[in-house]
Amino acid sequence: MPTALRRALLCSLLLTGVGMAQDSPPLPTSPAAMPVATPASALRGLWVDAFGPGLKTRAQAQQTVDDAARLGVNTLFVQAIRRADCLCLNSTYPAVTDKDLEKGFDPLAVMVKFAHARGMRVIAWVSVTGAANITAPNSDPRHVFRTHGPDAGAQSWLTRRPDGTWQEGRDGWLDVALPDVQDYVTQGIVSLVKNYAVDGVQLDRIRYPDGDVWGYVPAVLDRYRAETGATGTPAVDDAAWADWKRQQVTNLVRRIALEVKAVRSSAWVSAATITYLEPPRAGDLVSFRRTRTYWDVLQDWPTWMNEGLLDLNVLMNYKRDTVESQAAWFDGWNAFAQSVSGRADGARALVAAGSAMYLNPPEVTAAQAVRAVNSGLGWVGYSYRTPTAAVYGEKETGAQGLDTVRRLLTAPGAPLAMPAQWTAAPPTLRGLLGRVTGTALPGSRAVEAWQGGHLVARGLTDALGYYGFATLKAGAVEVRVAGQRWTDSVPPRGVVRLPYLLVRDLPPLSATPSSP
């Protein structure tokens, strides 16, 4: 057994009394090295993508679930929305057009049925901003790339560089700062929760593309100037411009999370988040804001956890332990995410480490899974279709790779040795959602929530005037926004929808609570 895996497994074996040869250096005995039981640490997941076999026929779906059961996972992150199209037949998105897809087959419905029968949860995995891949465009005339694509003029929804170009590699991305995009993707994701018995949703590509040069859509620039008072076209390194775009991403996460919880409060809201290069120091948000996650692709996932917008943060912690420093990067990102998972209400978001099975030999995948679980995180592998670097490099079959990974992950003391269901409940079960109307400029307006005579939360309206909170206590609440005050009650479970409030552009409110 390779030394890296042996050392990682020993922590688990010590708890079970299972012995093993002591021919590697002794492990540290610090608390951080010992297994930690948390609601997240029972999560054993597998991403199932739609870029090859696995979801395209009923037989493939059955094989996928059977293989996952043999592997010992308890949660499948099943690709549902790929590029503004659905591997399903009952959503507001058009269906995927793929010659290999079985006629009349609903992959999401069948995967939910098969997985639930085996005691597994199913999280609908959604590419939020994916619009198209030019090598395999969706042929449905209703598809967004055909109705709001690069040649749609002012009606184009694609994000762009300063020179107007829109392709990132072979892909086109939707711009999250466009109000129509925000409505479109929110409605699409919510339709999955309404129409399928999924256990939750996972937001992927909930960001801007790599490169820190995006967002130069005329309508987006007009919004930015109107809401901030800025003039001209911002430079790509303009910090205020980056902050504003980052807020648009967070606004969309908030809207989706609260709309999902309004349909089913028990549904999990997750995101697959970016962890490029070196990790920040544990607990150090200043160093996080120097990472590419924050300043390049404009994800502020510590805030998403703090505000209760994410129940589960699955880090795309795609590191190769065999490359210098990357094993430490993997552990460092895990530690940082745990250290900032606290929420404003005192609860904690759950965190899982996503391993790049496709980049690593099975021994590294198993070692990363052990380190993640022993530190109190869940573990999710990417992916079922490419379970090893050799499979990804077409040097072995998927079945061969799965068999090798399975033998290591289910060895005595390994994370998947004793399959068990993941039964934890999501930490966010209630919230408040409202909207301001009656103005051509509803975005970027300050919102306050007061409870018990105290200011307990602040936020901003999005492009459509929506605002909301997910960490309020159950009970009476007063919301102050756009010159209006409204009193309502937050339920113990579920989301209270406030009536639309008409904007009254008055001088700013004082910071004192209203009289009893």
Side-chain angles (χ1 to χ4, degrees), residues 32-123:
M34 303 304 292
V36 178
T38 69
S41 63
L43 168 61
R44 310 286 190 273
L46 194 63
W47 275 294
V48 183
D49 69 47
F51 298 107
L55 295 174
K56 298 185 180 183
T57 69
R58 189 178 184 88
Q60 287 180 15
Q62 185 67 70
Q63 184 68 54
T64 298
V65 172
D66 289 346
D67 287 342
R70 281 191 289 270
L71 188 61
V73 301
N74 53 33
T75 305
L76 296 178
F77 294 80
V78 177
Q79 189 155 39
I81 307 302
R82 189 170 64 174
R83 301 184 189 101
D85 50 15
C86 191
L87 281 108
C88 70
L89 300 178
N90 196 15
S91 82
T92 60
Y93 285 100
V96 166
T97 54
D98 186 327
K99 64 180 178 58
D100 296 326
L101 193 63
E102 183 179 315
K103 186 176 181 180
F105 176 58
D106 191 322
L108 185 58
V110 172
M111 286 295 290
V112 169
K113 178 181 177 180
F114 288 170
H116 282 180
R118 303 294 288 265
M120 299 179 203
R121 284 177 165 172
V122 174
I123 307 295

Side-chain angles (χ1 to χ4, degrees), residues 6 95 105 155 186 299 322 324 340 347 366 383 385 407 425 433 445 459:
R6 180 188 303 114
F105 176 58
Q155 297 303 310
T186 300
Q299 278 192 348
T322 54
E324 184 179 4
V340 295
S383 70
R385 183 175 57 88
R407 283 187 278 109
L433 181 63
R445 292 176 179 266

Side-chain angles (χ1 to χ4, degrees), residues 137-161:
N138 189 294
S139 60
D140 191 318
R142 300 169 300 164
H143 190 268
V144 68
F145 193 68
R146 297 181 180 275
T147 57
H148 298 283
D151 300 322
Q155 297 303 310
S156 175
W157 290 357
L158 302 181
T159 194
R160 296 176 186 267
R161 300 181 182 88

Side-chain angles (χ1 to χ4, degrees), residues 122-135:
V122 174
I123 307 295
W125 163 26
V126 176
S127 174
V128 178
T129 54
N133 182 289
I134 60 173
T135 62

